[in-house]
Amino acid sequence: KYYKRNIIPAKGLFLVAGMDVQKDRFEIEIVAFGRKRECYSVDYRVIHGGPESESAWKKVASLLEEEFEHENSAPMKIIGLGIDSGYATNEVYTFARGYQYPRVIPVKGVESMKQPLGTPNLVDISMSGKTIKRGVKILPVGVSVIKAQYYTYLRHEQWTKGSDIPV
């Protein structure tokens, strides 16, 4: 079944977003999740300006306040935004400190992890070694585990049967 962009499908129960930070832009995917691991890509946004642009961060903040129409119920806001903190780490941490955990959480990919998600760690020391009064929690993500699971799903018979896509 096809569904409209920017509208949460009927089975969508909550809305989250993931953000990648690049030198000149932010790329954000907004996803609704339902029961039994159902997920629906609701929108994909590119915000130009990058981590040094105050106006770009303001647009991210506005996105968190935006209401998305739901097919069968009241509009929803994004309940959580995960931001890849591998690039422009200090800028990501600074933005996240402005929100109560877990509304905005920096994520850090860890190749050696044996599970998809780790325990959030509090970072309360700046790069210069100064103590920060309001630290920020960082969520470690087991990227190897997630990639392996993703590729397993892609090889599943349900997805490959009768498909023209070589797997």
Side-chain angles (χ1 to χ4, degrees):
K1 177 183 176 184
Y2 293 99
Y3 49 95
K4 295 179 183 176
R5 184 175 175 183
N6 278 325
I7 297 179
I8 302 162
K11 292 182 178 182
L13 301 176
F14 62 93
L15 204 56
V16 296
M19 182 169 122
D20 187 42
V21 178
Q22 298 290 324
K23 181 179 179 180
D24 61 345
R25 69 193 181 283
F26 301 139
E27 300 207 16
I28 305 167
E29 183 172 17
I30 302 155
V31 179
F33 281 90
R35 299 189 199 297
K36 299 180 184 178
R37 297 184 183 178
E38 296 166 321
C39 78
Y40 309 91
S41 181
V42 173
D43 199 5
Y44 190 86
R45 308 253 177 111
V46 176
I47 297 175
H48 295 281
E52 295 178 7
S53 168
E54 189 176 324
S55 67
W57 286 111
K58 285 181 179 178
K59 289 176 185 175
V60 175
S62 293
L63 177 64
L64 289 170
E65 297 309 313
E66 192 173 325
E67 291 189 334
F68 291 81
E69 184 180 340
H70 192 283
E71 219 172 57
N72 290 343
S73 70
M76 291 182 180
K77 288 184 180 182
I78 295 168
I79 64 167
L81 169 65
I83 306 176
D84 183 351
S85 64
Y87 178 75
T89 304
N90 287 338
E91 290 87 343
V92 172
Y93 292 177
T94 298
F95 182 77
R97 277 188 202 96
Y99 292 86
Q100 187 172 359
Y101 175 85
R103 182 80 196 279
V104 174
I105 185 164
V107 297
K108 179 70 177 153
V110 180
E111 289 288 335
S112 61
M113 280 180 52
K114 303 291 185 217
Q115 67 274 359
L117 298 175
T119 303
N121 303 307
L122 185 64
V123 174
D124 56 4
I125 303 291
S126 71
M127 298 273 284
S128 63
K130 294 181 182 179
T131 300
I132 299 168
K133 287 183 182 178
R134 284 182 63 205
V136 65
K137 287 186 179 178
I138 295 143
L139 180 66
V141 176
V143 291
S144 295
V145 173
I146 292 172
K147 287 177 186 177
Q149 189 174 44
Y150 177 74
Y151 289 121
T152 298
Y153 288 152
L154 286 176
R155 286 190 298 271
H156 193 274
E157 185 179 331
Q158 168 187 344
W159 301 109
T160 58
K161 203 175 220 180
S163 171
D164 293 335
I165 301 170
V167 179

